[in-house]
Amino acid sequence: MVDVKKLDLLYFSNDKPVPYELSNGSNKGKIINIHPIKVVDWGIFEKCLDVLLQEKQDYDNEDIIMMSYLDFVLNILVPSSVEDDGESLYAEKLAKVLELSLKIENIKTGTYRNRTCLVFDDETVLTSKEFDDIKKIILFQNLEDYDDRYVSPDVKKLYYDYLATINTTSVNPSLERKKTFVIGKTGISMNEINKMSYRVFNQIYVSAVETDIYYANKIIQSSQKYEMKEEIIHPLFVAKKDKYADLFVDKSVVESKVGKANSWQN
């Protein structure tokens, strides 16, 4: 079982690779390291990350839901993305994610005790149970705000529609713009940024943006022209809010806002 809090304390927050001990057969006791993704590799990693983020429950099929995630990837996702040249987009994504995270290449599928497994270095076996653990570690390790709760497609759609109503003019900047913003704010060089883990870099970026907003609000607060009733707290001391909190507080209000926004767009 993966103890995320313990891993966060020992490895994530210290920007260290996570050692994972294999427990199957001849590989029992072997340690493989799960590395945080560097900024320089984030662009390609992010494009492949959806191979670990699919929800089996969305298929509403008991056989699929009961599968291990590895079986789900290999038997459902991979066949669904086979292209004319015979290659599968999801197979390539899975190989790239494991290559960047585990520093391994030439990953193959195999069987261990009549169950699907992955094989690398010609002899190291990764069972479906171990893959589930490693998948979870990779996601929590690299996505500082990762949330592994299952949320239905309807709620997800409502959430993203709601975000669209409150972020009507803002855009998510590219990784390049984020990097140049951090360079301008901190003086850290592009070379140094590229060597950072993305998890650390993104927190530096978010902190710099939130601090700018904080000081802007403090200036507005001190102006006699404006009245700000809410207390302005430095972002370092603001408690994190559940991203779905607004949806669950009053779903009808959110649906009303989304409905009005959609009618304006139409």
Side-chain angles (χ1 to χ4, degrees):
M1 182 177 178
V2 175
D3 187 338
V4 173
K5 290 184 178 179
K6 182 178 180 180
L7 293 181
D8 189 22
L9 180 66
L10 295 177
Y11 303 105
F12 301 163
S13 62
N14 292 310
D15 206 25
K16 291 182 177 181
V18 175
Y20 181 83
E21 183 176 344
L22 301 179
S23 58
N24 61 81
S26 60
N27 296 140
K28 188 173 183 178
K30 180 175 181 176
I31 301 293
I32 59 175
N33 289 307
I34 306 169
H35 299 264
I37 302 301
K38 302 296 184 183
V39 173
V40 70
D41 294 320
W42 184 257
I44 188 168
F45 179 81
E46 187 178 31
K47 289 183 181 298
C48 298
L49 197 53
D50 65 320
V51 73
L52 302 184
L53 293 171
Q54 303 298 311
E55 297 284 6
K56 295 183 294 178
Q57 294 92 326
D58 288 351
Y59 284 75
D60 195 25
N61 180 304
E62 186 175 352
D63 290 336
I64 292 177
I65 293 172
M66 294 300 292
M67 287 180 180
S68 69
Y69 197 85
L70 180 59
D71 280 326
F72 169 65
V73 171
L74 297 179
N75 296 319
I76 305 300
L77 295 185
V78 168
S80 71
S81 64
V82 174
E83 299 177 337
D84 293 339
D85 58 5
E87 296 295 325
S88 170
L89 185 60
Y90 276 113
E92 292 177 4
K93 288 181 175 182
L94 177 62
K96 181 54 68 173
V97 165
L98 295 179
E99 176 188 330
L100 293 172
S101 297
L102 306 183
K103 307 300 182 185
I104 57 176
E105 297 181 359
N106 301 319
I107 303 166
K108 303 174 182 177
T109 59
T111 56
Y112 175 75
R113 294 182 178 176
N114 298 319
R115 301 195 68 177
T116 305
C117 70
L118 295 175
V119 182
F120 58 93
D121 295 339
D122 294 328
E123 58 179 20
T124 303
V125 171
L126 203 62
T127 66
S128 57
K129 169 62 173 63
E130 290 166 338
F131 179 82
D132 282 349
D133 288 347
I134 290 171
K135 164 184 171 289
K136 187 171 185 176
I137 292 171
I138 290 173
L139 291 171
F140 276 102
Q141 179 185 49
N142 293 288
L143 305 175
E144 191 263 339
D145 61 348
Y146 176 65
D147 184 346
D148 63 352
R149 291 175 297 175
Y150 173 70
V151 178
S152 71
D154 289 343
V155 173
K156 281 183 183 177
K157 183 178 185 306
L158 183 60
Y159 172 68
Y160 289 115
D161 287 346
Y162 174 65
L163 289 183
T165 68
I166 61 177
N167 298 317
T168 55
T169 59
S170 62
V171 296
N172 185 31
S174 67
L175 179 57
E176 181 183 11
R177 291 194 66 189
K178 289 180 180 180
K179 290 196 283 187
T180 54
F181 175 80
V182 170
I183 290 171
K185 285 291 178 182
T186 66
I188 300 173
S189 70
M190 180 68 79
N191 187 48
E192 290 173 307
I193 287 175
N194 283 335
K195 290 179 180 179
M196 288 181 183
S197 70
Y198 181 79
R199 180 189 175 105
V200 168
F201 163 77
N202 193 56
Q203 290 184 75
I204 294 172
Y205 164 74
V206 170
S207 177
V209 171
E210 290 179 340
T211 300
D212 276 1
I213 295 172
Y214 165 76
Y215 283 118
N217 285 335
K218 292 295 285 185
I219 292 171
I220 293 172
Q221 185 184 47
S222 64
S223 172
Q224 295 181 351
K225 294 182 179 180
Y226 304 98
E227 180 182 356
M228 298 188 71
K229 295 181 180 180
E230 294 184 3
E231 182 183 3
I232 300 175
I233 305 172
H234 191 282
L236 188 62
F237 305 108
V238 175
K240 286 191 174 181
K241 186 178 181 181
D242 188 317
K243 66 181 183 179
Y244 296 115
D246 290 336
L247 293 185
F248 298 142
V249 167
D250 193 341
K251 185 178 178 182
S252 62
V253 172
V254 174
E255 289 176 335
S256 175
K257 289 182 179 179
V258 171
K260 288 179 180 178
N262 289 339
S263 65
W264 292 336
Q265 292 172 2
N266 294 331

